[in-house]
Amino acid sequence: MVNLAVNIGSLKLKNPIITASGTFGYGYEYEDFFDISRLGGIVVKATTAEPRDGNPYPRLAETPSGMINAVGLQNKGVNYFVSEIYNKLEKIDTNIIANVSGSTVESCVEVARKMNELDHIAAIELNISCPNVKEGGMAFGTSVKESYRITASIRNVCSKPLIIKLSPNVTNIAEIAMSVESAGADAISLVNTFLAMAIDAEKQKPILSTITGGLSGPAIKPIALRMVWQVHKAVSIPIIGLGGIMNATDAVEFMLAGATAVQVGTANFINPAVTMDILKGLEDYATRHMIENISELTGALQL
Amino acid sequence: MKQIVDLTIIDTVKIGDAYSIIRCTSKDILPEMKPGQFASLKIENNPKVFLRRPFSIHDYDKTENTVAFLIKIVGEGSRTLTELKRGDTVNAVLPLGNSFHFDAKGKSLIVGGGCGIAPIYFLAKCMKEINADFDIIIGGRTCNDLLCLDNLSTLSTTFCATEDGSKGSKGFVTDIPALSNNLSQYGKIHCCGPEGMMKAIAKTAVANNVFCEASLENTMACGIGVCLCCVTKTVHGNECVCSKGPIFNVKELAW
Ligand SMILES: Cc1cc2nc3c(=O)[nH]c(=O)nc-3n(C[C@H](O)[C@H](O)[C@H](O)COP(=O)(O)OP(=O)(O)OC[C@H]3O[C@@H](n4cnc5c(N)ncnc54)[C@H](O)[C@@H]3O)c2cc1C
Ligand SMILES: Cc1cc2nc3c(=O)[nH]c(=O)nc-3n(C[C@H](O)[C@H](O)[C@H](O)COP(=O)(O)O)c2cc1C
Ligand code: FES
């Protein structure tokens, strides 16, 4: 029997498989396909202080081994989340992680404060990396100073484990990681999507209404892996690795590079039950390599 | 309940150069499907295709445990599907989305254009089963786009229009008298086809105060309402076509 449990600071996960924000709804959308309480955790869709209608259609461009999205944080706002959605999440027997987003520090603080009061929210993931909002969003995540400032502000109102989700759209990811660590983050998740673009050559027009959007899927995996490795060498807080994970081997690679847990995003669209395949594959891998505790894999890359 | 199923191809029938109907079964009992719903099909063995592709349920036979799709070849995904052979498998997530709000009260009109005829056939079959009174109109660019005309004609009175006049009346479906000047005989209109066609129908329907619903075809990633990529503008803001639709009352749409 492999022990699949891992700890992200004080947050205990029954296994390292978490679903990524914006790709798994609120979890219950997947209940028809498998028992979602078997997941290590679910990061729910981004919540902002005010309702947001998101960007105009088209919001999606398929690209080789990936997709570019320009959703723009569409959600009904934190008050709606608290009154209409939260009670449905209380029934889910796994870690529910809130994804807090916004265009100003104040609005993120407001969302984090309200999320912090909800018992069944196990942790807060602060999204300082959304490439799809005009102001704020990714801007926080691309500046050492700004990422420190927003992390420290959220830390003040957040007694739950605080995970900062980093943007890969930077020249030095380790620098940002160290800055949020020193501002009090309990963990780091990376990466969010890469700023990207798709063009319809026949029409000579951009495919997305916003011209640029965020690239996800296997196309980004090698870069995400490199960033997890660099951050692992730079900080001592736990890392949640993501970016293009499609199967158990991908998940193992992220753990070897330094991740304590992983998130699965775009792959859920291709196979709604992919996380259960990954979980099974992870267990098989551990058995094959005579690993008793899956946590032994973290940073175990042999050089 | 939505399911992930491996479908086995029973046969594929080519209709002209551009369309194919693929009929499938499964070793397990297929979930109940309603007209207007769709399936999200996985495209295997084609590295150019990453995401699943949505296709309407063209036919579903509970006793035979079969489901069929009518596929127009427009790109890599649709082409790969139509190249599948008897015995091949295709992975599907189904059934997805809402369904047509049909009933046997009064007289209804069903309108399909191009590959929008796909869900129309299943709808007409189900309406026939409940002894509903309805007319069918289908349209296309040429007679090659008037899919399933023979099958539809066995279900009810079927009018057709082609833009080049190669079959039926020359012009658009909206030029057919049933739609252009006799619309108030109908209690409900159900339509699926190119957006321009549906907008024109919606306009006359609203002007004549007739209930009208349209099936939309936005590009999709997840098909189950989580990615928020497939939205259409409605009077309630952006709504997902895959989960709140694909069938919308045209009065709700910001057309
Ligand atoms: C709910 C729903 C039901 C559908 N039912 C059917 C059906 O029963 N039969 C059928 O043939 N098709 C149907 N479609 C459309 C079908 O999904 C697309 O044609 C298919 O995804 C194209 O994939 P591809 O890889 O062949 O082409 P791609 O390479 O993805 O695209 C080729 C070209 O077609 C255009 N295109 C792609 N998707 C669409 C679309 N949805 N509408 C208009 N243009 C598009 C692209 O912009 C591009 O120019 C449906 C779509 C939806 C959302
Ligand atoms: C459609 C879509 C919506 C997303 N929405 C969010 C979001 O609301 N908040 C967030 O932090 N990340 C969001 N992301 C980013 C993912 O959580 C993830 O970081 C990214 O997709 C990379 O992982 P992947 O390649 O496994 O998908 C979204 C991604 C996609 C594809
Ligand atoms: S396709 Fe993902 S929400 Fe509709």
Side-chain angles (χ1 to χ4, degrees):
Chain A
M1 251 324 251
V2 185
N3 174 16
L4 291 170
V6 296
N7 296 334
I8 304 285
S10 60
L11 181 67
K12 295 193 179 344
L13 309 183
K14 54 187 117 179
N15 63 64
I17 311 299
I18 306 171
T19 53
S21 180
T23 66
F24 207 72
Y26 294 103
Y28 44 74
E29 293 91 337
Y30 283 81
E31 266 168 348
D32 279 1
F33 304 114
F34 66 96
D35 175 7
I36 56 173
S37 68
R38 291 184 56 205
L39 290 163
I42 297 170
V43 186
V44 298
K45 182 156 43 194
T47 305
T48 54
E50 301 299 326
R52 289 179 64 105
D53 208 24
N55 293 320
Y57 180 84
R59 295 176 169 185
L60 162 69
E62 186 183 43
T63 55
S65 297
M67 57 175 275
I68 309 176
N69 88 81
V71 172
L73 301 181
Q74 180 180 328
N75 78 103
K76 294 191 167 156
V78 67
N79 291 339
Y80 184 89
F81 177 88
V82 172
S83 64
E84 306 295 324
I85 297 171
Y86 174 66
N87 67 328
K88 296 189 217 164
L89 305 180
E90 278 181 307
K91 298 175 198 124
I92 305 174
D93 180 24
T94 186
N95 292 301
I96 304 293
I97 302 170
N99 183 265
V100 171
S101 300
S103 43
T104 61
V105 173
E106 294 69 34
S107 68
C108 290
V109 166
E110 183 190 337
V111 179
R113 184 180 280 130
K114 288 179 177 161
M115 292 291 184
N116 194 53
E117 283 165 20
L118 305 174
D119 285 343
H120 198 60
I121 297 294
I124 288 177
E125 180 180 72
L126 175 68
N127 174 11
I128 57 167
S129 44
C130 182
N132 290 326
V133 287
K134 280 200 195 77
E135 25 5 276
M138 193 174 82
F140 295 122
T142 53
S143 146
V144 171
K145 226 175 88 198
E146 288 300 304
S147 53
Y148 182 95
R149 188 167 74 96
I150 192 165
T151 305
S153 307
I154 302 295
R155 179 77 284 175
N156 269 336
V157 297
C158 173
S159 56
K160 296 182 190 285
L162 175 61
I163 306 160
I164 310 294
K165 184 165 180 181
L166 302 189
S167 169
N169 301 300
V170 296
T171 38
N172 189 341
I173 190 88
E175 210 175 66
I176 309 278
M178 289 187 287
S179 142
V180 303
E181 180 182 40
S182 62
D186 296 307
I188 286 170
S189 56
L190 77 159
V191 294
N192 205 316
T193 54
F194 286 76
L195 193 60
M197 180 168 174
I199 291 175
D200 183 328
E202 289 308 313
K203 296 189 185 137
Q204 307 190 337
K205 285 188 166 167
I207 291 177
L208 300 171
S209 68
T210 47
I211 304 175
T212 60
L215 178 64
S216 64
I220 69 171
K221 196 195 90 177
I223 319 179
L225 206 51
R226 179 264 293 174
M227 290 185 160
V228 167
W229 168 244
Q230 287 177 324
V231 169
H232 173 65
K233 286 191 295 181
V235 300
S236 53
I237 50 178
I239 297 166
I240 304 171
L242 75 153
I245 296 178
M246 299 298 284
N247 52 47
T249 312
D250 293 338
V252 168
E253 290 171 20
F254 273 88
M255 293 186 76
L256 290 171
T260 299
V262 296
Q263 289 181 16
V264 179
T266 304
N268 294 302
F269 304 157
I270 318 294
N271 173 5
V274 71
T275 44
M276 293 301 105
D277 294 350
I278 295 176
L279 194 55
K280 170 81 175 43
L282 204 56
E283 212 168 345
D284 292 347
Y285 179 92
T287 309
R288 207 151 38 81
H289 287 264
M290 290 180 284
I291 292 166
E292 273 173 40
N293 296 300
I294 204 74
S295 57
E296 292 164 37
L297 274 181
T298 299
L301 187 67
Q302 300 188 22
L303 298 171
Chain B
M1 198 162 111
K2 299 181 197 92
Q3 284 181 19
I4 309 169
V5 286
D6 276 326
L7 299 174
T8 309
I9 313 280
I10 310 172
D11 54 40
T12 65
V13 179
K14 273 188 78 139
I15 310 178
D17 291 335
Y19 303 91
S20 269
I21 293 180
I22 63 173
R23 211 156 55 91
C24 318
T25 187
S26 166
K27 60 176 172 22
D28 303 312
I29 295 170
L30 291 168
E32 199 89 27
M33 288 172 247
K34 298 197 211 101
Q37 290 189 299
F38 65 100
S40 191
L41 303 182
K42 194 166 167 204
I43 316 293
E44 305 279 3
N45 304 322
N46 189 334
K48 287 188 191 146
V49 182
F50 177 61
L51 298 167
R52 284 175 182 265
R53 295 290 190 264
F55 291 94
S56 304
I57 309 294
H58 173 54
D59 198 4
Y60 160 64
D61 191 318
K62 191 175 173 175
T63 45
E64 301 264 312
N65 200 40
T66 58
V67 58
F69 305 99
L70 189 167
I71 294 170
K72 180 177 186 180
I73 303 173
V74 299
E76 287 290 326
S78 49
R79 188 180 55 73
T80 308
L81 285 172
T82 57
E83 284 167 359
L84 293 172
K85 302 269 177 310
R86 184 187 167 86
D88 288 347
T89 58
V90 56
N91 185 270
V93 181
L94 81 189
L96 302 174
N98 65 354
S99 53
F100 287 108
H101 303 87
F102 64 98
D103 54 46
K105 282 180 262 161
K107 192 170 182 178
S108 305
L109 177 66
I110 307 178
V111 192
C115 71
I117 293 167
I120 290 309
Y121 173 70
F122 184 27
L123 172 64
K125 208 178 91 170
C126 293
M127 290 186 69
K128 173 98 178 168
E129 272 165 22
I130 59 163
N131 289 318
D133 182 15
F134 64 97
D135 290 336
I136 304 169
I137 297 181
I138 60 170
R141 218 155 269 152
T142 74
C143 57
N144 296 329
D145 301 304
L146 295 180
L147 311 166
C148 314
L149 180 57
D150 296 343
N151 285 338
L152 286 169
S153 308
T154 65
L155 296 171
S156 197
T157 311
T158 306
F159 306 100
C160 56
T162 50
E163 286 169 41
D164 67 351
S166 53
K167 184 137 197 176
S169 52
K170 184 170 158 67
F172 297 109
V173 292
T174 38
D175 299 327
I176 289 176
L179 251 174
S180 59
N181 52 31
N182 212 355
L183 203 64
S184 37
Q185 61 175 311
Y186 301 110
K188 279 186 173 178
I189 304 173
H190 314 282
C191 64
C192 182
E195 198 164 293
M197 177 197 102
M198 296 197 291
K199 278 184 177 163
I201 296 169
K203 213 170 138 192
T204 34
V206 171
N208 285 279
N209 207 14
V210 179
F211 170 92
C212 177
E213 58 183 8
S215 178
L216 304 190
E217 286 197 358
N218 287 8
T219 39
M220 296 180 174
C222 71
I224 56 172
V226 300
C227 75
L228 310 187
C229 286
C230 65
V231 293
T232 188
K233 250 197 154 121
T234 73
V235 292
H236 317 290
N238 284 322
E239 297 271 26
C240 292
V241 169
C242 70
S243 53
K244 288 284 165 70
I247 321 286
F248 290 88
N249 183 330
V250 297
K251 282 191 171 165
E252 310 257 295
L253 294 170
W255 271 1

